[in-house]
């Protein structure tokens, strides 16, 4: 297809390979604006010109290779055409209105096939594969998320004649018909990939030799794909190569860096991402084994190169040009097996700079550098000669010609003036020895066509004496794909014309079958020693549900003879399937335990589960929303590992399944996190025979399943609870000790407090000034020390007996304390306002002052309420704090503004009076 979209002069070349041209504008109309030109793939004499639909919608058809044209008006606008692969007059046309039309008269008449057809998702039937030769496969749109796969007869696509090979809906834009395979997607990709694969895209690479080669993008991949090979049915796939480089094409299509070498079956080149670097690999047995390319031993100047694998190798750009007038980054031909020309670099990885041109004559075993810049290389005389033209935006006038597969090059001039080259075109089949270069002398000049005829260089036809043989090998191994292949090529500097009837491509001798001729079967993976063993999710003895009890079936041994492999079956042995009986009973005796034998685990650590039962499919549900299936659980010697990200109690379920039934077992796993601290909280003074609430605070707050053990005084039996609080009643006056132990997993921490029990008491809360916060380390010892000092100071000031006074500094910030007056204090409601000034060692000697006594009796209450205001400087308290927390004070400012350490003020009166 040639895109014109311009009102230009149209020429028809005579039968002299472009030496003379005839202007055809008058035959199609001088003002005709064309958009596309089509040539029938089955008959090059039939040509179709499509006019620009913005001007008029019509076809210009020629049946005599452009000598004359007939105009046919269209009732629809054509977006694309699809010619039948065998019938030269059958054409499918896709319109801008999503309608599909068919013509059986090379476009002279059209008939509607179907509407709402998905773009580019319609296919002709293949002769010999479909029941009817005129069958059409197409995908029709039902909604934005649903499509249907239907088949229609050529000229009768009525509802009664529609076929629905797949009765349900399919994913939009997913129908692919290629050779004998039909691919659709239903929800998820409907192919049997390894069960741990979650594919988000699948690209069909090829369907040659009764095998599907597919590139699959896993859920975690963005710019790479994995390569899979199928068995003959195209249903079960095995991994061939991981992390193949991918990129977006010019029209939104996906470009996979995988190149099939022409002329030699089974040879592929691919660019793979290895630890962040792109490296080129080659296979000679269709993906079974891959290895790096050996770099040339010398550069273009003959300097020896030091390039040692795997740190250094040859890497190639593998993009093939869609433009028929440019050669792309890599080229090989069916008519010249073994010769590959590509641009690339030498080093640890593929780069886009310092690109050179490399060539191989033995299918990639050895390479030579031929140009230090990018060139387009064309095959002439079926590979008997190579033509190179510099790939540059500058004007050029020379080409290079080689007769020894690129070892030596001769320079030739093709134009008297430098030409800006737009493209190079060789004749199909490369039998004519003619090449056409087209371009322009300046950016304003018209196109120039330069025809180069190389016949004068080749003075005779080739004979058998002009050929030599070379043997295909893979790093010295000559048995490849089960045969020894010997190819013929011209001897160096032989200038004779090769013809197809004289050309002998190859000779083959078969080899006995060895392990190298077998791929790993579905569910198996290759080990370092070359053997195939089951992967964790597959069990060889698993069978389909249609296996009848008492019958036998052929089960894989892990090996599958590679398709297109022609080895002789002399020593199959362990590579052949084995006969196996169907299961006799449903699964019995399933066991599920942890490797430690416990039902507890720590959050964030690996938990190892052990499942015991052979030859069944096991599904393990971890209880946190994740599950995984294994069909060969015995192959996992270290058990099944899982990490829980949250604390809690998880219901773990293991299910065993075979064709006769299932069995299920479960366990409850307590997942906790490490307990760092326990803090017991309770009132420091309580009333005898009244319930008091005890509570705990844990750090971190949520640690999972917790058991609390409460100990009161010297009782030998604790009270056990599952919550961090309880209510308790003290029946005797005095000092009581409460201890709580907290058990989380294998960790046990405790805290204890002392509770004073009185018949009657009065309680008050104290607040401290904010500058004391810098001295509060938040530990119980500090609170106990401050409580003791404050109590001693209050006893000195008030004259109250120490046995009647209890002071407790409360945990947390801001710092606060509570003091309680015992039952010997008179029952009149009395409030004391204390102002306790704490000072540092820089304070002056004690200073005492006394405030006047004030009567603030409240109505409705008998007795006097006395407020005593006492301001006392506690030098001893300051010295104690400095001594106790010297390391903290050493970092404080000791200037004149940093004297005061703290101030204690009574801020609230709470009276408990019996």
């Amino acid at each position: 297809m040639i895109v014109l979209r311009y009102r230009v002069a149209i020429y028809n070349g005579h039968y002299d390979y472009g030496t003379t041209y005839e202007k055809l504008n008058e035959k199609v109309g001088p003002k005709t604006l064309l958009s596309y030109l089509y040539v029938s793939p089955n008959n090059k004499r039939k040509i179709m010109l499509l006019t620009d639909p913005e001007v008029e919608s019509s076809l210009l058809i020629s049946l005599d290779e452009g000598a004359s044209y007939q105009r046919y008006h269209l009732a629809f606008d054509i977006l694309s055409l699809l010619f039948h692969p065998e019938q030269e007059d059958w054409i499918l046309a896709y319109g801008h209105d999503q309608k599909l039309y068919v013509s059986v008269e090379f476009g002279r008449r059209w008939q509607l096939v179907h509407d709402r057809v998905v773009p580019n998702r319609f296919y002709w039937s293949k002769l010999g594969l479909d029941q009817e030769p005129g069958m059409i496969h197409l995908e029709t749109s039902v909604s934005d998320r649903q499509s249907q796969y239907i088949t229609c007869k050529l000229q009768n696509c009525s509802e009664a004649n529609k076929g629905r090979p797949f009765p349900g809906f399919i994913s939009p834009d997913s129908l692919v018909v290629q050779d004998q395979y039909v691919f659709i997607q239903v929800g998820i990709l409907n192919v049997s990939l390894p069960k741990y694969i979650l594919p988000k895209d699948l690209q069909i690479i090829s369907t040659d030799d009764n095998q599907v080669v597919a590139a699959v993008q896993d859920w975690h991949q963005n710019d790479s794909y994995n390569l899979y090979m199928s068995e003959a049915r195209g249903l079960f796939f095995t991994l061939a190569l991981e992390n193949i480089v991918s990129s977006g094409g010019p029209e939104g299509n996906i470009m996979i860096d995988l190149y099939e070498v022409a002329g030699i079956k089974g040879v592929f080149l691919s660019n793979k991402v290895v630890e962040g670097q792109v490296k080129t690999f080659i296979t000679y047995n269709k993906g079974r084994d891959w290895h790096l390319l050996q770099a040339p031993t010398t550069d273009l100047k003959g300097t020896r190169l030091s390039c040692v694998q795997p740190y250094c190798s040859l890497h190639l750009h593998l993009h093939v040009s869609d433009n028929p007038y440019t050669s792309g980054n890599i080229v090989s031909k069916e008519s010249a097996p073994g010769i590959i020309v590509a641009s690339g670099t030498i080093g640890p990885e593929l780069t886009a700079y310092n690109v050179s041109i490399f060539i191989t004559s033995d299918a990639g075993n050895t390479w030579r550098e031929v140009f230090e810049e990018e060139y387009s290389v064309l095959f002439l005389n079926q590979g008997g000669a190579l033509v190179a033209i510099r790939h540059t935006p500058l004007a050029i006038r020379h080409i290079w010609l080689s007769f020894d597969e690129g070892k030596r090059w001769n320079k030739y001039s093709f134009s008297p003036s430098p030409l800006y080259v737009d493209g190079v075109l060789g004749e199909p089949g490369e039998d004519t020895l003619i090449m056409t270069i087209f371009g322009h002398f300046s950016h304003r000049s018209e196109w120039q066509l330069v025809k180069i005829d190389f016949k004068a260089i080749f003075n005779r036809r080739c004979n058998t004496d002009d050929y030599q043989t070379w043997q295909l090998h893979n790093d010295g191994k000559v048995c490849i794909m089960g045969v020894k292949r010997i190819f013929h090529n011209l001897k160096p500097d032989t200038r004779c014309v090769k013809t197809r009837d004289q050309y002998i491509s190859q000779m083959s001798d078969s080899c006995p079958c060895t392990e190298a001729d077998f791929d790993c079967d579905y569910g198996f993976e290759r080990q370092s020693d070359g053997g195939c063993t089951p992967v964790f999710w597959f069990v060889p003895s698993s069978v389909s549900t249609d296996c009848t009890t008492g019958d036998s079936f052929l089960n894989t041994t892990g090996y599958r003879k590679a398709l297109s492999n022609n080895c002789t079956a002399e020593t199959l042995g362990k590579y052949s399937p084995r006969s196996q009986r169907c299961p006799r009973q449903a699964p019995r005796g399933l066991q599920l335990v942890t490797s430690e034998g416990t039902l507890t685990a720590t959050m964030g650590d690996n938990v190892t589960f052990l499942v015991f039962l052979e030859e069944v499919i096991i599904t393990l549900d971890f209880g946190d929303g994740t599950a995984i299936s294994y069909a060969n659980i015995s192959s996992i010697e270290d058990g099944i590992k899982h990490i829980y990200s949250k604390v809690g109690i998880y219901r773990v379920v293991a299910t065993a399944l075979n064709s006769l039934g299932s069995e299920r077992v479960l366990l409850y796993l307590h997942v906790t996190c490490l307990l760092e601290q326990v803090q017991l909280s309770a009132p420091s003074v309580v009333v005898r025979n009244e319930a008091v609430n005890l509570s705990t605070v844990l750090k971190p707050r949520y640690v999972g399943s917790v058991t609390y053990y409460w100990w009161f005084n010297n009782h030998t039996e604790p009270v056990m609870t599952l919550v961090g609080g309880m209510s308790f009643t003290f029946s005797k006056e005095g000092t009581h000790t409460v201890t709580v132990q907290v058990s989380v997993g294998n960790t046990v921490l405790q805290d204890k407090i002392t509770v004073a029990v009185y018949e009657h008491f009065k309680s008050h809360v104290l607040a401290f000034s904010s500058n004391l916060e810098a001295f509060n380390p938040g530990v119980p010892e500090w609170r106990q020390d401050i409580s003791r000092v404050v109590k001693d100071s209050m006893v000195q000031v008030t004259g109250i007996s120490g046995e009647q006074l209890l002071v407790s500094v409360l945990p947390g910030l801001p710092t606060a304390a509570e003091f309680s007056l015992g039952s010997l204090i008179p029952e009149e409601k009395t409030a004391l306002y204390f102002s306790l000034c704490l000072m540092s060692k820089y304070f002056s000697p004690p200073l005492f002052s006394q405030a006047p006594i004030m009567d603030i009796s409240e109505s409705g209450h008998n007795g006097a309420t006395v407020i005593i205001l006492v301001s006392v400087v506690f030098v001893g308290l300051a010295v104690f704090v400095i001594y106790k927390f010297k390391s903290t004070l050493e970092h404080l400012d000791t200037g004149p503004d940093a004297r005061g350490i703290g101030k204690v003020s009574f801020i609230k009166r709470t009276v408990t009076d019996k």
Side-chain angles (χ1 to χ4, degrees), residues 23-36:
K23 193 172 183 178
L24 300 179
N25 284 54
E26 299 300 329
K27 296 182 179 180
V28 300
K31 297 183 179 181
T32 300
L33 189 61
L34 303 177
S35 59
Y36 292 97

Side-chain angles (χ1 to χ4, degrees), residues 257-279:
D257 271 21
L258 180 72
Y259 179 78
E260 184 175 4
V261 176
I264 303 179
K265 287 290 187 181
V267 181
F268 288 82
L269 290 161
S270 183
N271 285 328
K272 174 183 177 180
V273 181
V274 181
E275 297 180 351
Q277 296 180 322
V278 177
K279 299 176 181 289

Side-chain angles (χ1 to χ4, degrees), residues 594-655:
T594 62
S595 60
E596 301 294 331
T598 64
L599 297 178
T600 62
T602 302
M603 182 185 70
D605 290 349
N606 263 319
V607 184
T608 302
F609 296 95
L610 302 178
V611 183
F612 301 99
L613 194 60
E614 298 289 338
E615 299 184 353
V616 292
I617 298 175
I618 298 291
T619 300
L620 188 60
D621 186 340
F622 298 106
D624 60 352
T626 59
I628 193 167
S629 293
Y630 299 85
N632 186 25
I633 200 71
S634 60
S635 65
I636 308 177
E637 298 178 354
D638 298 331
I640 305 166
K641 300 183 184 300
H642 187 69
I643 296 177
Y644 290 90
S645 59
K646 294 182 179 180
V647 299
I649 302 176
Y650 293 91
R651 183 174 179 264
V652 184
V653 181
T655 304

Side-chain angles (χ1 to χ4, degrees), residues 561-593:
K561 186 178 178 181
L563 297 177
S564 303
N565 190 294
N566 296 312
C567 66
T568 56
E570 294 180 1
T571 56
L572 292 179
K574 66 176 183 179
Y575 309 116
S576 300
R578 290 195 302 260
S579 178
Q580 183 174 320
R581 297 186 66 83
C582 297
R584 296 178 177 273
Q585 63 178 11
R588 292 293 182 269
L590 180 63
Q591 300 180 51
L592 172 64
V593 296

Side-chain angles (χ1 to χ4, degrees), residues 10-42:
I10 306 175
Y11 293 86
N12 184 35
H14 286 280
Y15 306 104
D16 52 11
Y17 301 105
T19 302
T20 59
Y21 287 84
E22 177 188 1
K23 193 172 183 178
L24 300 179
N25 284 54
E26 299 300 329
K27 296 182 179 180
V28 300
K31 297 183 179 181
T32 300
L33 189 61
L34 303 177
S35 59
Y36 292 97
L37 181 150
Y38 296 90
V39 178
S40 171
N42 302 303

Side-chain angles (χ1 to χ4, degrees), residues 834-906:
F834 293 99
S835 179
L836 306 177
C837 297
L838 309 181
M839 60 170 292
S840 71
K841 61 182 178 180
Y842 302 101
F843 245 56
S844 57
L847 177 64
F848 296 89
S849 63
Q850 183 174 350
I853 299 177
M854 301 176 61
D855 182 5
I856 56 169
S857 299
E858 300 178 13
S859 61
H861 289 78
N862 295 324
T865 301
V866 181
I867 297 181
I868 304 175
L869 178 60
V870 182
S871 179
V872 183
V873 179
F874 293 103
V875 179
L877 177 59
V879 173
F880 175 82
V881 174
I882 295 171
Y883 172 78
K884 195 73 177 180
F885 304 100
K886 181 178 180 181
S887 61
T888 303
L889 292 175
E890 286 176 351
H891 295 86
L892 297 178
D893 184 1
T894 56
D897 295 331
R899 287 182 172 183
I901 295 179
K903 179 179 180 182
V904 182
S905 301
F906 167 72

